[in-house]
Amino acid sequence: MRKSCEGAIVTPNELERYLEDRRVLVDEALEQHLPGVSEPPKEIHEAVRYSVFAGGKRLRPILVLAAAEAAGGQIEQALAAAAAVEMIHTYSLIHDDLPAMDDDDFRRGRPTCHKVYGEAMAILAGDALLTQAFILLSAEIAPVDKNPEARLRVIQEIAMAAGSKGMVGGQVVDMLHEDREIDLSTLQYLHAHKTGALIRGCLRMGGILASAGPEQLDALTGYGERIGLAFQIVDDILDLEGSLEALGKSAGSDLRKKKATFPALLGIEESRRWAHRLVAEAKQGLVIFGDRGIVLGAIADFVVMRRR
C-alpha cells in the first residue's frame, strides 16, 4: 500500500476499499449476533434490525478493527466487540431521534424507528440493542475467550464510554443547553462526551483486544479523543451546509432547535480550522505504530474531509 511521508493512504480509492471491506465484515457479524426477525417477539426484532441495517458508515466498529490491527492484532480478535459497538451506537441514535430528545423524522435516509414502529417500540428497540451488546461482549467467543481479563476490560471500557460519564452525560449537557448560552469549555465537554467518548472507547477496545502496551494504548486514546471531537465539529458544520439527500437526516436541525454547536459559538471557518488542527494532532500521535498506523491516519483525514 503506497503512503505519503505523513503516513496517510495516498489514494481515496484505497481507503474506500478498506472501509467497504471492513463494513461488510461488521455487517456479517451483526447478522450473526442479532436475533432473527422471525424470533419472538418478532415485532421488537424487526424494529431492531430495521435500525441496525438502515445503512451507515460503520465508522465506530471499523475503528475497533483498525486499532486492533495498528496494535499488531488480528481483526478476528475484535469483530465481536466491533459488532457490539455498532449495537450501542444504533441504540443511541434510536433514542436521540425520539420526540422527547431531538425529535428527528429521518435517519440514514429512512424514516426514524419511532416513525415506523411507534415511540414505545423504538424505546424498547434501543433498550434491546444496548442489552444485546453486553450479551455479546460477555459471551465466550473465540479468540476473545482465551483472554478473559481483556474481555472484562473491554466491557468496562464500553460501559464507561456509553454511560453518564460518557455518551449519556454528553447528551444531558446537550439538552440542558438548548436555546441557552454556552462557553467553550462546556461545549468541548459536551462534544467530548456525547460523541468523543464512544469513539475513544472504540480505539481503546481494539488496542486492549490486541494486547497493546501502555504506550500504544495511550497513543490510541489520544488519537480517539481528537478525532472524536473533530468528528462532532464536522457534524455540526455539515448540519448547516448539507442536505437530507447527502446527510440521510434533516439538515439545519441544530440551528432550528438552537443547539449548542461549534459553528454557533465560533463560526464555520474557525470551527473548520479547529477540526483540521485536531486531526493533525491525532495523526502525529500515530508515529509509534509505524506503517501499521497508516490506516488510522487515513481515517483521520476522512473524518475531517467527509461530506456526510
Side-chain angles (χ1 to χ4, degrees), residues 15 18-20 22-24 26-27 30 52 55-69 81-83 85-87 89-90 93 108 195-196 198-203 206 223-224 226-232 234-235 238 279 295-306 308:
L15 179 61
Y18 176 90
L19 294 176
E20 177 59 19
R22 298 305 184 269
R23 185 195 64 77
V24 169
V26 171
D27 280 354
L30 286 165
V52 170
K57 297 177 287 294
R58 307 300 195 211
L59 178 63
R60 289 157 185 81
I62 290 172
L63 285 171
V64 177
L65 304 181
E69 291 178 296
V85 161
E86 187 61 25
M87 292 177 195
H89 176 54
T90 304
L93 299 181
R108 292 172 172 170
T195 301
L198 188 58
I199 289 177
R200 180 192 64 209
C202 291
L203 275 299
Y223 170 90
R226 287 168 175 81
I227 69 160
L229 185 54
F231 184 93
Q232 185 58 53
V234 173
D235 231 32
L238 290 174
V279 164
V295 170
L296 288 176
I299 291 175
D301 287 331
F302 167 78
V303 163
V304 78
M305 298 303 295
R306 65 195 174 91
R308 60 186 178 90

Short mmCIF file of all heavy atoms in Angstrom, two decimals, residues 15 18-20 22-24 26-27 30 52 55-69 81-83 85-87 89-90 93 108 195-196 198-203 206 223-224 226-232 234-235 238 279 295-306 308:
data_model
loop_
_atom_site.label_atom_id
_atom_site.label_comp_id
_atom_site.label_asym_id
_atom_site.label_seq_id
_atom_site.Cartn_x
_atom_site.Cartn_y
_atom_site.Cartn_z
N LEU A 15 -8.55 3.81 0.61
CA LEU A 15 -9.31 3.92 1.85
C LEU A 15 -10.74 3.47 1.66
O LEU A 15 -11.32 2.78 2.51
CB LEU A 15 -9.28 5.35 2.38
CG LEU A 15 -10.08 5.58 3.67
CD1 LEU A 15 -9.53 4.74 4.81
CD2 LEU A 15 -10.09 7.06 4.05
N TYR A 18 -10.86 -0.22 1.78
CA TYR A 18 -10.65 -0.69 3.15
C TYR A 18 -11.94 -0.53 3.96
O TYR A 18 -12.37 -1.48 4.65
CB TYR A 18 -9.52 0.11 3.81
CG TYR A 18 -9.31 -0.26 5.26
CD1 TYR A 18 -8.43 -1.26 5.63
CD2 TYR A 18 -10.01 0.41 6.28
CE1 TYR A 18 -8.25 -1.61 6.97
CE2 TYR A 18 -9.84 0.07 7.62
CZ TYR A 18 -8.96 -0.95 7.95
OH TYR A 18 -8.80 -1.29 9.27
N LEU A 19 -12.54 0.64 3.91
CA LEU A 19 -13.75 0.90 4.68
C LEU A 19 -14.89 -0.03 4.25
O LEU A 19 -15.65 -0.52 5.09
CB LEU A 19 -14.17 2.36 4.54
CG LEU A 19 -13.22 3.40 5.15
CD1 LEU A 19 -13.71 4.81 4.83
CD2 LEU A 19 -13.07 3.21 6.65
N GLU A 20 -15.00 -0.25 2.95
CA GLU A 20 -16.07 -1.12 2.45
C GLU A 20 -15.84 -2.57 2.88
O GLU A 20 -16.78 -3.27 3.30
CB GLU A 20 -16.17 -1.02 0.93
CG GLU A 20 -17.20 -1.94 0.30
CD GLU A 20 -18.64 -1.70 0.80
OE1 GLU A 20 -18.91 -0.61 1.35
OE2 GLU A 20 -19.48 -2.60 0.63
N ARG A 22 -14.23 -3.67 5.51
CA ARG A 22 -14.48 -3.79 6.94
C ARG A 22 -15.96 -3.63 7.26
O ARG A 22 -16.48 -4.27 8.17
CB ARG A 22 -13.65 -2.77 7.73
CG ARG A 22 -12.14 -2.93 7.58
CD ARG A 22 -11.68 -4.33 7.95
NE ARG A 22 -10.24 -4.47 7.91
CZ ARG A 22 -9.53 -4.85 6.86
NH1 ARG A 22 -10.16 -5.13 5.70
NH2 ARG A 22 -8.22 -4.98 6.92
N ARG A 23 -16.64 -2.77 6.52
CA ARG A 23 -18.09 -2.61 6.72
C ARG A 23 -18.81 -3.93 6.48
O ARG A 23 -19.72 -4.30 7.23
CB ARG A 23 -18.65 -1.52 5.80
CG ARG A 23 -20.13 -1.22 6.05
CD ARG A 23 -20.73 -0.42 4.91
NE ARG A 23 -20.74 -1.18 3.68
CZ ARG A 23 -21.61 -2.15 3.40
NH1 ARG A 23 -22.55 -2.48 4.27
NH2 ARG A 23 -21.55 -2.80 2.25
N VAL A 24 -18.42 -4.63 5.44
CA VAL A 24 -19.03 -5.92 5.13
C VAL A 24 -18.80 -6.91 6.27
O VAL A 24 -19.71 -7.64 6.68
CB VAL A 24 -18.48 -6.48 3.80
CG1 VAL A 24 -18.91 -7.92 3.59
CG2 VAL A 24 -18.95 -5.62 2.62
N VAL A 26 -18.28 -6.21 9.42
CA VAL A 26 -19.10 -5.79 10.56
C VAL A 26 -20.55 -6.19 10.35
O VAL A 26 -21.21 -6.71 11.27
CB VAL A 26 -18.97 -4.27 10.79
CG1 VAL A 26 -19.99 -3.80 11.82
CG2 VAL A 26 -17.56 -3.92 11.24
N ASP A 27 -21.07 -5.97 9.15
CA ASP A 27 -22.46 -6.34 8.87
C ASP A 27 -22.68 -7.84 9.00
O ASP A 27 -23.73 -8.29 9.48
CB ASP A 27 -22.87 -5.86 7.48
CG ASP A 27 -23.22 -4.38 7.45
OD1 ASP A 27 -23.27 -3.76 8.53
OD2 ASP A 27 -23.46 -3.84 6.36
N LEU A 30 -22.88 -8.54 12.67
CA LEU A 30 -24.17 -8.10 13.20
C LEU A 30 -25.27 -9.09 12.82
O LEU A 30 -26.13 -9.43 13.64
CB LEU A 30 -24.51 -6.71 12.67
CG LEU A 30 -23.71 -5.56 13.27
CD1 LEU A 30 -23.85 -4.31 12.42
CD2 LEU A 30 -24.15 -5.29 14.70
N VAL A 52 -30.65 -1.11 12.66
CA VAL A 52 -29.24 -1.52 12.52
C VAL A 52 -28.84 -1.60 11.05
O VAL A 52 -27.75 -1.15 10.66
CB VAL A 52 -29.01 -2.88 13.21
CG1 VAL A 52 -27.62 -3.43 12.84
CG2 VAL A 52 -29.12 -2.73 14.72
N GLY A 55 -28.20 1.18 7.01
CA GLY A 55 -27.05 1.77 6.34
C GLY A 55 -26.09 2.34 7.35
O GLY A 55 -26.00 1.88 8.49
N GLY A 56 -25.36 3.37 6.96
CA GLY A 56 -24.38 3.96 7.85
C GLY A 56 -22.97 3.55 7.49
O GLY A 56 -22.74 2.52 6.85
N LYS A 57 -22.01 4.37 7.90
CA LYS A 57 -20.60 4.15 7.54
C LYS A 57 -19.95 3.05 8.36
O LYS A 57 -18.89 2.55 7.99
CB LYS A 57 -19.82 5.46 7.72
CG LYS A 57 -20.29 6.59 6.82
CD LYS A 57 -19.54 7.89 7.10
CE LYS A 57 -19.96 8.53 8.41
NZ LYS A 57 -21.35 9.01 8.42
N ARG A 58 -20.52 2.71 9.51
CA ARG A 58 -19.91 1.74 10.44
C ARG A 58 -18.54 2.24 10.90
O ARG A 58 -17.63 1.43 11.16
CB ARG A 58 -19.78 0.35 9.81
CG ARG A 58 -21.03 -0.24 9.21
CD ARG A 58 -22.15 -0.41 10.21
NE ARG A 58 -23.20 -1.28 9.73
CZ ARG A 58 -24.48 -1.17 10.07
NH1 ARG A 58 -24.87 -0.21 10.90
NH2 ARG A 58 -25.38 -2.01 9.61
N LEU A 59 -18.37 3.55 11.03
CA LEU A 59 -17.06 4.09 11.38
C LEU A 59 -16.59 3.61 12.74
O LEU A 59 -15.42 3.24 12.91
CB LEU A 59 -17.11 5.63 11.36
CG LEU A 59 -15.81 6.33 11.75
CD1 LEU A 59 -14.70 6.00 10.76
CD2 LEU A 59 -16.02 7.83 11.85
N ARG A 60 -17.47 3.60 13.73
CA ARG A 60 -17.06 3.22 15.08
C ARG A 60 -16.57 1.78 15.15
O ARG A 60 -15.49 1.52 15.69
CB ARG A 60 -18.19 3.51 16.06
CG ARG A 60 -18.38 5.01 16.28
CD ARG A 60 -19.78 5.35 16.78
NE ARG A 60 -19.98 6.80 16.87
CZ ARG A 60 -20.30 7.57 15.81
NH1 ARG A 60 -20.45 7.03 14.61
NH2 ARG A 60 -20.45 8.87 15.97
N PRO A 61 -17.33 0.80 14.64
CA PRO A 61 -16.79 -0.56 14.67
C PRO A 61 -15.54 -0.73 13.82
O PRO A 61 -14.65 -1.51 14.17
CB PRO A 61 -17.95 -1.41 14.14
CG PRO A 61 -18.86 -0.47 13.46
CD PRO A 61 -18.73 0.83 14.16
N ILE A 62 -15.45 0.01 12.72
CA ILE A 62 -14.24 -0.07 11.90
C ILE A 62 -13.04 0.45 12.68
O ILE A 62 -11.93 -0.07 12.56
CB ILE A 62 -14.43 0.70 10.57
CG1 ILE A 62 -15.42 -0.07 9.67
CG2 ILE A 62 -13.10 0.90 9.85
CD1 ILE A 62 -15.82 0.69 8.42
N LEU A 63 -13.24 1.46 13.51
CA LEU A 63 -12.15 1.96 14.35
C LEU A 63 -11.68 0.91 15.35
O LEU A 63 -10.49 0.83 15.67
CB LEU A 63 -12.59 3.22 15.08
CG LEU A 63 -12.64 4.50 14.23
CD1 LEU A 63 -13.30 5.64 15.03
CD2 LEU A 63 -11.25 4.91 13.77
N VAL A 64 -12.60 0.11 15.85
CA VAL A 64 -12.20 -1.00 16.74
C VAL A 64 -11.25 -1.93 15.99
O VAL A 64 -10.18 -2.31 16.50
CB VAL A 64 -13.43 -1.79 17.23
CG1 VAL A 64 -12.99 -2.98 18.09
CG2 VAL A 64 -14.37 -0.89 18.04
N LEU A 65 -11.62 -2.29 14.77
CA LEU A 65 -10.81 -3.21 13.96
C LEU A 65 -9.47 -2.57 13.59
O LEU A 65 -8.42 -3.22 13.67
CB LEU A 65 -11.56 -3.60 12.69
CG LEU A 65 -12.95 -4.24 12.88
CD1 LEU A 65 -13.56 -4.60 11.53
CD2 LEU A 65 -12.87 -5.46 13.78
N ALA A 66 -9.50 -1.30 13.16
CA ALA A 66 -8.27 -0.62 12.74
C ALA A 66 -7.30 -0.45 13.92
O ALA A 66 -6.08 -0.55 13.74
CB ALA A 66 -8.61 0.73 12.13
N ALA A 67 -7.84 -0.19 15.10
CA ALA A 67 -6.98 -0.07 16.28
C ALA A 67 -6.32 -1.39 16.62
O ALA A 67 -5.13 -1.44 16.98
CB ALA A 67 -7.80 0.44 17.47
N ALA A 68 -7.08 -2.47 16.52
CA ALA A 68 -6.51 -3.80 16.78
C ALA A 68 -5.39 -4.10 15.80
O ALA A 68 -4.32 -4.61 16.18
CB ALA A 68 -7.61 -4.86 16.69
N GLU A 69 -5.61 -3.77 14.53
CA GLU A 69 -4.57 -4.00 13.52
C GLU A 69 -3.34 -3.14 13.78
O GLU A 69 -2.20 -3.59 13.64
CB GLU A 69 -5.13 -3.70 12.13
CG GLU A 69 -6.18 -4.71 11.67
CD GLU A 69 -6.76 -4.36 10.31
OE1 GLU A 69 -7.40 -3.31 10.18
OE2 GLU A 69 -6.55 -5.16 9.37
N ALA A 81 -16.52 -7.45 19.33
CA ALA A 81 -16.56 -6.15 20.01
C ALA A 81 -17.00 -5.06 19.05
O ALA A 81 -17.75 -4.14 19.43
CB ALA A 81 -15.20 -5.82 20.60
N ALA A 82 -16.56 -5.12 17.81
CA ALA A 82 -16.97 -4.14 16.81
C ALA A 82 -18.47 -4.18 16.59
O ALA A 82 -19.14 -3.13 16.51
CB ALA A 82 -16.23 -4.39 15.50
N ALA A 83 -19.03 -5.38 16.49
CA ALA A 83 -20.48 -5.51 16.32
C ALA A 83 -21.22 -4.95 17.53
O ALA A 83 -22.25 -4.28 17.39
CB ALA A 83 -20.85 -6.98 16.09
N VAL A 85 -20.26 -2.57 19.52
CA VAL A 85 -20.18 -1.11 19.46
C VAL A 85 -21.26 -0.55 18.54
O VAL A 85 -21.91 0.45 18.86
CB VAL A 85 -18.78 -0.67 18.99
CG1 VAL A 85 -18.80 0.76 18.49
CG2 VAL A 85 -17.77 -0.81 20.11
N GLU A 86 -21.45 -1.19 17.40
CA GLU A 86 -22.48 -0.69 16.46
C GLU A 86 -23.88 -0.84 17.06
O GLU A 86 -24.74 0.01 16.83
CB GLU A 86 -22.39 -1.42 15.12
CG GLU A 86 -23.31 -0.86 14.05
CD GLU A 86 -23.02 0.60 13.68
OE1 GLU A 86 -21.87 1.05 13.88
OE2 GLU A 86 -23.95 1.28 13.19
N MET A 87 -24.11 -1.89 17.82
CA MET A 87 -25.40 -2.03 18.50
C MET A 87 -25.62 -0.87 19.47
O MET A 87 -26.72 -0.29 19.52
CB MET A 87 -25.44 -3.36 19.28
CG MET A 87 -25.45 -4.59 18.41
SD MET A 87 -25.40 -6.10 19.43
CE MET A 87 -24.98 -7.33 18.20
N HIS A 89 -24.16 2.10 19.41
CA HIS A 89 -24.30 3.34 18.63
C HIS A 89 -25.71 3.46 18.05
O HIS A 89 -26.33 4.52 18.14
CB HIS A 89 -23.27 3.35 17.51
CG HIS A 89 -23.38 4.53 16.59
ND1 HIS A 89 -23.38 5.83 17.04
CD2 HIS A 89 -23.52 4.60 15.24
CE1 HIS A 89 -23.50 6.66 16.02
NE2 HIS A 89 -23.59 5.94 14.92
N THR A 90 -26.23 2.36 17.51
CA THR A 90 -27.57 2.41 16.92
C THR A 90 -28.63 2.65 17.99
O THR A 90 -29.59 3.40 17.77
CB THR A 90 -27.87 1.11 16.16
OG1 THR A 90 -26.86 0.90 15.17
CG2 THR A 90 -29.23 1.18 15.47
N LEU A 93 -28.77 6.30 18.62
CA LEU A 93 -29.44 7.04 17.54
C LEU A 93 -30.95 6.91 17.64
O LEU A 93 -31.68 7.89 17.45
CB LEU A 93 -28.96 6.53 16.17
CG LEU A 93 -27.47 6.67 15.86
CD1 LEU A 93 -27.18 6.15 14.46
CD2 LEU A 93 -27.01 8.11 16.00
N ARG A 108 -30.29 8.16 8.43
CA ARG A 108 -29.66 7.35 7.39
C ARG A 108 -30.56 7.24 6.15
O ARG A 108 -30.62 6.21 5.49
CB ARG A 108 -29.31 5.96 7.93
CG ARG A 108 -28.19 6.01 8.98
CD ARG A 108 -27.96 4.67 9.65
NE ARG A 108 -26.78 4.71 10.51
CZ ARG A 108 -26.44 3.74 11.36
NH1 ARG A 108 -27.20 2.67 11.49
NH2 ARG A 108 -25.35 3.85 12.08
N THR A 195 -20.16 12.47 21.73
CA THR A 195 -19.64 11.77 20.55
C THR A 195 -18.26 11.18 20.81
O THR A 195 -17.99 10.03 20.47
CB THR A 195 -19.57 12.72 19.35
OG1 THR A 195 -20.88 13.23 19.08
CG2 THR A 195 -19.05 12.00 18.11
N GLY A 196 -17.38 11.96 21.41
CA GLY A 196 -16.00 11.55 21.53
C GLY A 196 -15.75 10.36 22.44
O GLY A 196 -14.85 9.56 22.18
N LEU A 198 -17.42 7.57 22.99
CA LEU A 198 -17.61 6.27 22.36
C LEU A 198 -16.52 6.02 21.32
O LEU A 198 -16.02 4.89 21.20
CB LEU A 198 -19.00 6.19 21.70
CG LEU A 198 -19.41 4.82 21.17
CD1 LEU A 198 -19.40 3.78 22.29
CD2 LEU A 198 -20.79 4.88 20.53
N ILE A 199 -16.14 7.05 20.59
CA ILE A 199 -15.07 6.88 19.60
C ILE A 199 -13.75 6.57 20.29
O ILE A 199 -13.01 5.67 19.87
CB ILE A 199 -14.97 8.15 18.72
CG1 ILE A 199 -16.19 8.20 17.78
CG2 ILE A 199 -13.66 8.17 17.92
CD1 ILE A 199 -16.26 9.43 16.90
N ARG A 200 -13.44 7.29 21.37
CA ARG A 200 -12.23 6.96 22.14
C ARG A 200 -12.30 5.53 22.65
O ARG A 200 -11.31 4.79 22.59
CB ARG A 200 -12.11 7.92 23.31
CG ARG A 200 -10.86 7.67 24.18
CD ARG A 200 -10.95 8.46 25.46
NE ARG A 200 -12.08 8.03 26.28
CZ ARG A 200 -12.74 8.81 27.12
NH1 ARG A 200 -12.41 10.08 27.25
NH2 ARG A 200 -13.75 8.33 27.81
N GLY A 201 -13.47 5.12 23.14
CA GLY A 201 -13.63 3.76 23.63
C GLY A 201 -13.39 2.72 22.56
O GLY A 201 -12.81 1.66 22.83
N CYS A 202 -13.80 3.01 21.33
CA CYS A 202 -13.57 2.08 20.22
C CYS A 202 -12.08 1.83 20.01
O CYS A 202 -11.63 0.69 19.84
CB CYS A 202 -14.17 2.64 18.93
SG CYS A 202 -15.97 2.67 18.91
N LEU A 203 -11.30 2.91 20.03
CA LEU A 203 -9.85 2.77 19.84
C LEU A 203 -9.22 1.99 20.98
O LEU A 203 -8.37 1.11 20.76
CB LEU A 203 -9.22 4.16 19.74
CG LEU A 203 -9.19 4.86 18.39
CD1 LEU A 203 -8.40 4.06 17.36
CD2 LEU A 203 -10.56 5.20 17.86
N GLY A 206 -10.11 -1.82 20.74
CA GLY A 206 -9.30 -2.51 19.75
C GLY A 206 -7.89 -2.77 20.25
O GLY A 206 -7.32 -3.86 20.06
N TYR A 223 -5.43 9.71 20.09
CA TYR A 223 -5.97 9.74 18.73
C TYR A 223 -7.49 9.74 18.77
O TYR A 223 -8.16 10.54 18.10
CB TYR A 223 -5.46 8.53 17.95
CG TYR A 223 -6.13 8.30 16.61
CD1 TYR A 223 -5.63 8.87 15.46
CD2 TYR A 223 -7.25 7.47 16.51
CE1 TYR A 223 -6.23 8.65 14.23
CE2 TYR A 223 -7.86 7.24 15.30
CZ TYR A 223 -7.36 7.83 14.15
OH TYR A 223 -7.96 7.62 12.94
N GLY A 224 -8.06 8.86 19.58
CA GLY A 224 -9.53 8.76 19.66
C GLY A 224 -10.17 10.02 20.19
O GLY A 224 -11.22 10.45 19.70
N ARG A 226 -9.08 13.06 19.93
CA ARG A 226 -9.00 14.15 18.95
C ARG A 226 -9.92 13.94 17.77
O ARG A 226 -10.63 14.86 17.35
CB ARG A 226 -7.54 14.31 18.50
CG ARG A 226 -6.68 14.95 19.58
CD ARG A 226 -5.19 14.84 19.28
NE ARG A 226 -4.40 15.56 20.27
CZ ARG A 226 -4.07 15.06 21.48
NH1 ARG A 226 -4.49 13.84 21.83
NH2 ARG A 226 -3.36 15.78 22.32
N ILE A 227 -9.95 12.73 17.22
CA ILE A 227 -10.84 12.56 16.07
C ILE A 227 -12.31 12.51 16.50
O ILE A 227 -13.19 12.83 15.72
CB ILE A 227 -10.48 11.33 15.21
CG1 ILE A 227 -10.76 10.01 15.94
CG2 ILE A 227 -9.05 11.39 14.71
CD1 ILE A 227 -10.88 8.84 14.98
N GLY A 228 -12.55 12.11 17.75
CA GLY A 228 -13.92 12.14 18.25
C GLY A 228 -14.47 13.55 18.30
O GLY A 228 -15.61 13.81 17.88
N LEU A 229 -13.66 14.47 18.80
CA LEU A 229 -14.07 15.87 18.85
C LEU A 229 -14.16 16.46 17.44
O LEU A 229 -15.10 17.18 17.11
CB LEU A 229 -13.10 16.67 19.71
CG LEU A 229 -13.43 18.14 19.97
CD1 LEU A 229 -14.84 18.29 20.55
CD2 LEU A 229 -12.39 18.76 20.91
N ALA A 230 -13.18 16.13 16.60
CA ALA A 230 -13.19 16.62 15.22
C ALA A 230 -14.43 16.11 14.48
O ALA A 230 -15.06 16.86 13.71
CB ALA A 230 -11.93 16.18 14.49
N PHE A 231 -14.79 14.85 14.71
CA PHE A 231 -15.96 14.27 14.04
C PHE A 231 -17.22 15.08 14.36
O PHE A 231 -18.01 15.39 13.47
CB PHE A 231 -16.14 12.82 14.48
CG PHE A 231 -17.26 12.10 13.77
CD1 PHE A 231 -16.99 11.36 12.63
CD2 PHE A 231 -18.56 12.15 14.24
CE1 PHE A 231 -18.03 10.69 11.96
CE2 PHE A 231 -19.59 11.49 13.59
CZ PHE A 231 -19.31 10.77 12.44
N GLN A 232 -17.41 15.43 15.63
CA GLN A 232 -18.62 16.15 16.01
C GLN A 232 -18.60 17.59 15.49
O GLN A 232 -19.64 18.13 15.11
CB GLN A 232 -18.79 16.14 17.52
CG GLN A 232 -20.10 16.76 17.98
CD GLN A 232 -21.32 16.08 17.38
OE1 GLN A 232 -21.46 14.86 17.47
NE2 GLN A 232 -22.20 16.86 16.75
N VAL A 234 -17.22 18.56 12.68
CA VAL A 234 -17.58 18.44 11.27
C VAL A 234 -19.07 18.14 11.12
O VAL A 234 -19.74 18.66 10.22
CB VAL A 234 -16.72 17.36 10.58
CG1 VAL A 234 -17.21 17.10 9.16
CG2 VAL A 234 -15.26 17.78 10.56
N ASP A 235 -19.60 17.31 12.01
CA ASP A 235 -21.04 17.02 12.00
C ASP A 235 -21.85 18.30 12.16
O ASP A 235 -22.87 18.50 11.48
CB ASP A 235 -21.38 16.05 13.14
CG ASP A 235 -22.20 14.86 12.67
OD1 ASP A 235 -22.01 14.43 11.51
OD2 ASP A 235 -23.01 14.36 13.45
N LEU A 238 -21.67 20.21 8.89
CA LEU A 238 -22.49 19.57 7.85
C LEU A 238 -23.97 19.81 8.08
O LEU A 238 -24.75 19.88 7.12
CB LEU A 238 -22.19 18.07 7.80
CG LEU A 238 -20.82 17.68 7.27
CD1 LEU A 238 -20.60 16.18 7.40
CD2 LEU A 238 -20.64 18.11 5.83
N VAL A 279 -7.21 16.89 13.86
CA VAL A 279 -6.84 15.75 13.02
C VAL A 279 -5.32 15.69 12.84
O VAL A 279 -4.71 14.62 12.89
CB VAL A 279 -7.56 15.81 11.66
CG1 VAL A 279 -6.92 14.87 10.65
CG2 VAL A 279 -9.03 15.44 11.85
N VAL A 295 -3.54 3.29 8.22
CA VAL A 295 -5.00 3.30 8.05
C VAL A 295 -5.65 4.29 9.00
O VAL A 295 -6.54 5.05 8.60
CB VAL A 295 -5.57 1.88 8.25
CG1 VAL A 295 -7.10 1.92 8.33
CG2 VAL A 295 -5.14 0.97 7.11
N LEU A 296 -5.23 4.31 10.25
CA LEU A 296 -5.81 5.26 11.20
C LEU A 296 -5.54 6.70 10.76
O LEU A 296 -6.40 7.58 10.93
CB LEU A 296 -5.25 5.03 12.60
CG LEU A 296 -5.72 3.76 13.32
CD1 LEU A 296 -5.01 3.61 14.67
CD2 LEU A 296 -7.23 3.79 13.52
N GLY A 297 -4.38 6.95 10.19
CA GLY A 297 -4.10 8.28 9.68
C GLY A 297 -5.04 8.67 8.55
O GLY A 297 -5.54 9.80 8.50
N ALA A 298 -5.32 7.73 7.67
CA ALA A 298 -6.24 7.99 6.56
C ALA A 298 -7.66 8.19 7.05
O ALA A 298 -8.40 9.03 6.53
CB ALA A 298 -6.18 6.83 5.57
N ILE A 299 -8.05 7.43 8.07
CA ILE A 299 -9.39 7.61 8.63
C ILE A 299 -9.53 8.98 9.27
O ILE A 299 -10.58 9.62 9.17
CB ILE A 299 -9.70 6.48 9.64
CG1 ILE A 299 -9.85 5.15 8.92
CG2 ILE A 299 -10.98 6.79 10.42
CD1 ILE A 299 -10.04 3.95 9.83
N ALA A 300 -8.47 9.46 9.91
CA ALA A 300 -8.50 10.81 10.48
C ALA A 300 -8.75 11.85 9.39
O ALA A 300 -9.56 12.78 9.57
CB ALA A 300 -7.19 11.10 11.20
N ASP A 301 -8.08 11.71 8.26
CA ASP A 301 -8.32 12.63 7.13
C ASP A 301 -9.75 12.52 6.64
O ASP A 301 -10.39 13.52 6.32
CB ASP A 301 -7.35 12.32 5.99
CG ASP A 301 -5.94 12.75 6.30
OD1 ASP A 301 -5.76 13.73 7.06
OD2 ASP A 301 -4.99 12.11 5.78
N PHE A 302 -10.26 11.30 6.58
CA PHE A 302 -11.63 11.07 6.13
C PHE A 302 -12.63 11.78 7.05
O PHE A 302 -13.62 12.37 6.58
CB PHE A 302 -11.92 9.57 6.09
CG PHE A 302 -13.38 9.22 5.94
CD1 PHE A 302 -14.01 9.30 4.72
CD2 PHE A 302 -14.11 8.80 7.05
CE1 PHE A 302 -15.36 8.98 4.60
CE2 PHE A 302 -15.45 8.48 6.94
CZ PHE A 302 -16.08 8.57 5.70
N VAL A 303 -12.37 11.73 8.35
CA VAL A 303 -13.27 12.35 9.32
C VAL A 303 -13.44 13.83 9.04
O VAL A 303 -14.56 14.37 9.07
CB VAL A 303 -12.74 12.13 10.75
CG1 VAL A 303 -13.40 13.08 11.75
CG2 VAL A 303 -12.99 10.69 11.20
N VAL A 304 -12.35 14.51 8.73
CA VAL A 304 -12.43 15.96 8.57
C VAL A 304 -12.83 16.38 7.16
O VAL A 304 -13.31 17.51 6.96
CB VAL A 304 -11.08 16.61 8.97
CG1 VAL A 304 -10.04 16.47 7.86
CG2 VAL A 304 -11.26 18.06 9.36
N MET A 305 -12.68 15.49 6.18
CA MET A 305 -12.97 15.84 4.79
C MET A 305 -14.33 15.32 4.32
O MET A 305 -14.78 15.66 3.23
CB MET A 305 -11.89 15.28 3.86
CG MET A 305 -10.50 15.84 4.12
SD MET A 305 -10.42 17.65 4.01
CE MET A 305 -10.80 17.89 2.27
N ARG A 306 -15.01 14.52 5.14
CA ARG A 306 -16.24 13.89 4.70
C ARG A 306 -17.33 14.94 4.42
O ARG A 306 -17.31 16.05 4.94
CB ARG A 306 -16.75 12.89 5.74
CG ARG A 306 -17.15 13.51 7.06
CD ARG A 306 -17.28 12.48 8.17
NE ARG A 306 -17.53 13.12 9.44
CZ ARG A 306 -18.74 13.38 9.93
NH1 ARG A 306 -19.81 13.00 9.25
NH2 ARG A 306 -18.88 14.00 11.07
N ARG A 308 -20.71 13.82 4.52
CA ARG A 308 -21.95 13.28 5.09
C ARG A 308 -21.63 12.45 6.33
O ARG A 308 -20.48 12.16 6.59
CB ARG A 308 -22.70 12.43 4.07
CG ARG A 308 -21.95 11.24 3.53
CD ARG A 308 -22.71 10.55 2.41
NE ARG A 308 -21.97 9.44 1.85
CZ ARG A 308 -22.05 8.19 2.27
NH1 ARG A 308 -22.84 7.90 3.29
NH2 ARG A 308 -21.37 7.23 1.72
#
